Amino acid sequence: KMSTKFTEYKGLDLPTVASEVLDFWKKENIFEKSVSTREGAEPYVFFEGPPSANGLPGIHHVMARAIKDIFCRYKTQKGFQVKRKAGWDTHGLPVELGTEKELGITKEDIGKTISIEEYNEACKKTVMRYTDVWNDLTEKMGYWVDMEDPYVTYKSKYMESVWWLLKQIYNKGLLYKGYTIQPYSPKAGTGLSSHEVNQPGAYRDVTDTTIVAQFKTLPETLPSFLKGFGDIHILAWTTTPWTLPSNTALTVGPKIDYVLVKTFNQYTFEPINVVLAKNLVGKQFGKGFFASEDDADFDKVKNGDKQLPYKIVAEAKGADLAEIRYEQLLPYVLPYQNPENAFRVITGDFVTTEDGTGVVHTA
């Protein structure tokens, strides 16, 4: 016979049930007991991936925390001592920009109209603005976490702990140097995270100039069907020209048809031979060019001509172009790892002939 009696409900009123359960947990210190009664048991330590208290919580926070809570409750029921430490994320550019907007200043004013110490204090107040709202939500949703002693990322103790951890990782030889292309804010003088780039107003549609870059091939690496034409360049179209200094390869579609086109550079009027996808010849040589099989058209080209001739002189599949090597376009720095494998034509199934030249500049 069970001696414990549970409350029976005639009608299910979930807000009332939630309120009664919360009152019971608070009155009996159930969360604290779930930790203290397992003193000496195997620990399962939980540090919450911290929210930022400079913004109000949303339903997505409730959903994520409900999932986190399941794991901690499960481990508690399995006999582990589960200490759950709350935290506050207090770093990040949005905090600074929000504070600067309220103070009516910009980055240039720091150290002039406002001291660094005053600026830091203003940011600390801004970043903890909605702490009470967060604490209230945490309790109401039944999320068990130690709010009394949270870690706060702007405190020296936290930052020094991170530095200490990095030192341990470094000593074990687990840190390596790499290169990555990052969004950068010249105004703020810092790199931007994906979250910061996704802030309202960060994106807008603009009309931008794209470029076609010419990559000069190394003659000794050309297949036999491309020999005897003189210098040959591979054309690659890009909407992100700032990535060209870090180009490492050119990718072609193995089954796509490519052609060698004899024509003239429309800026220098020098004769050139260029490789691109057959389906895109019409797009690349539309305005300012005309197809011609007459050698006389090529012989009479002069500087300033409005219309330039072109003709296809060779054809091949993308697979036949693989391993052609080319000169580095902008020789500022070599790839960090295996530079000897860079600056060659490779194949990839993702290449299309919808836009550009059918050759993907790979950075």
Side-chain angles (χ1 to χ4, degrees):
K1 184 182 175 182
M2 292 180 66
S3 58
T4 306
K5 282 195 173 183
F6 293 93
T7 308
E8 290 184 25
Y9 295 93
K10 293 279 189 266
L12 186 59
D13 184 357
L14 289 174
T16 302
V17 175
S19 179
E20 288 175 359
V21 172
L22 287 174
D23 288 343
F24 170 70
W25 283 352
K26 190 184 272 187
K27 184 179 172 186
E28 300 293 334
N29 293 318
I30 301 299
F31 169 45
E32 290 76 11
K33 285 177 183 174
S34 75
V35 178
S36 61
T37 56
R38 287 162 177 75
E39 199 64 58
E42 187 179 346
Y44 179 83
V45 182
F46 174 78
F47 283 84
E48 181 176 22
S52 179
N54 70 316
L56 289 166
I59 189 65
H60 58 290
H61 292 111
V62 177
M63 294 163 70
R65 285 176 142 198
I67 294 167
K68 294 177 195 175
D69 210 42
I70 289 170
F71 287 87
C72 293
R73 287 177 187 271
Y74 173 75
K75 285 293 185 180
T76 299
Q77 290 178 321
K78 296 296 280 185
F80 290 83
Q81 185 186 37
V82 185
K83 292 185 177 179
R84 316 182 189 190
K85 196 171 184 69
W88 295 114
D89 181 3
T90 58
H91 288 147
L93 192 59
V95 176
E96 295 178 21
L97 297 180
T99 304
E100 288 159 21
K101 191 174 181 181
E102 285 182 18
L103 295 175
I105 62 168
T106 64
K107 285 273 187 284
E108 288 74 31
D109 296 316
I110 303 167
K112 296 174 185 172
T113 60
I114 183 173
S115 70
I116 294 173
E117 291 75 20
E118 288 170 332
Y119 177 73
N120 284 344
E121 283 307 310
C123 285
K124 285 176 184 178
K125 284 178 186 169
T126 303
V127 82
M128 301 304 275
R129 174 169 295 156
Y130 299 113
T131 311
D132 292 344
V133 181
W134 275 93
N135 289 345
D136 183 58
L137 174 79
T138 302
E139 187 177 305
K140 277 181 179 170
M141 69 168 288
Y143 181 60
W144 283 0
V145 68
D146 180 10
M147 305 291 290
E148 300 300 317
D149 183 30
Y151 67 92
V152 182
T153 59
Y154 70 64
K155 291 194 173 175
S156 299
K157 182 181 178 183
Y158 173 83
M159 289 188 277
E160 288 169 10
S161 298
V162 174
W163 293 341
W164 179 86
L165 283 167
L166 282 171
K167 181 68 162 35
Q168 307 313 305
I169 295 167
Y170 174 78
N171 287 342
K172 290 180 179 180
L174 298 173
L175 280 185
Y176 69 93
K177 183 179 180 180
Y179 295 95
T180 179
I181 294 166
Q182 294 287 339
Y184 184 81
S185 168
K187 186 175 181 182
T190 182
L192 298 172
S193 69
S194 57
H195 169 71
E196 288 159 354
V197 173
N198 282 316
Q199 292 289 300
Y203 280 100
R204 67 178 184 271
D205 289 330
V206 296
T207 301
D208 211 350
T209 304
T210 62
I211 70 165
V212 174
Q214 297 182 162
F215 294 83
K216 187 177 181 182
T217 60
L218 301 181
E220 64 274 16
T221 68
L222 291 171
S224 57
F225 63 87
L226 287 179
K227 292 194 173 184
F229 293 101
D231 287 343
I232 290 178
H233 291 77
I234 299 172
L235 298 185
W237 175 71
T238 179
T239 57
T240 56
W242 54 88
T243 62
L244 286 171
S246 57
N247 168 269
T248 53
L250 295 174
T251 309
V252 296
K255 296 177 182 177
I256 294 173
D257 291 317
Y258 289 85
V259 291
L260 178 67
V261 174
K262 177 183 179 181
T263 186
F264 293 83
N265 183 304
Q266 69 265 51
Y267 303 106
T268 65
F269 299 94
E270 294 288 325
I272 53 169
N273 299 292
V274 295
V275 174
L276 73 160
K278 186 176 183 178
N279 285 356
L280 289 162
V281 170
K283 273 192 178 180
Q284 283 300 321
F285 297 100
K287 190 178 178 184
F289 291 89
F290 65 95
S292 174
E293 293 295 327
D294 187 350
D295 288 340
D297 287 333
F298 291 82
D299 294 337
K300 62 187 181 187
V301 170
K302 60 185 184 301
N303 279 9
D305 280 356
K306 299 296 182 189
Q307 292 287 314
L308 298 169
Y310 75 89
K311 71 174 176 177
I312 293 172
V313 293
E315 192 169 332
K317 291 287 184 188
D320 301 323
L321 305 176
E323 298 306 318
I324 292 176
R325 292 186 172 263
Y326 59 88
E327 293 178 6
Q328 186 179 8
L329 187 70
L330 298 164
Y332 298 138
V333 63
L334 288 170
Y336 181 62
Q337 292 176 311
N338 309 114
E340 68 279 2
N341 294 331
F343 317 124
R344 61 193 171 96
V345 176
I346 59 176
T347 60
D349 293 333
F350 57 86
V351 182
T352 71
T353 55
E354 289 176 17
D355 288 301
T357 63
V359 180
V360 175
H361 142 61
T362 309

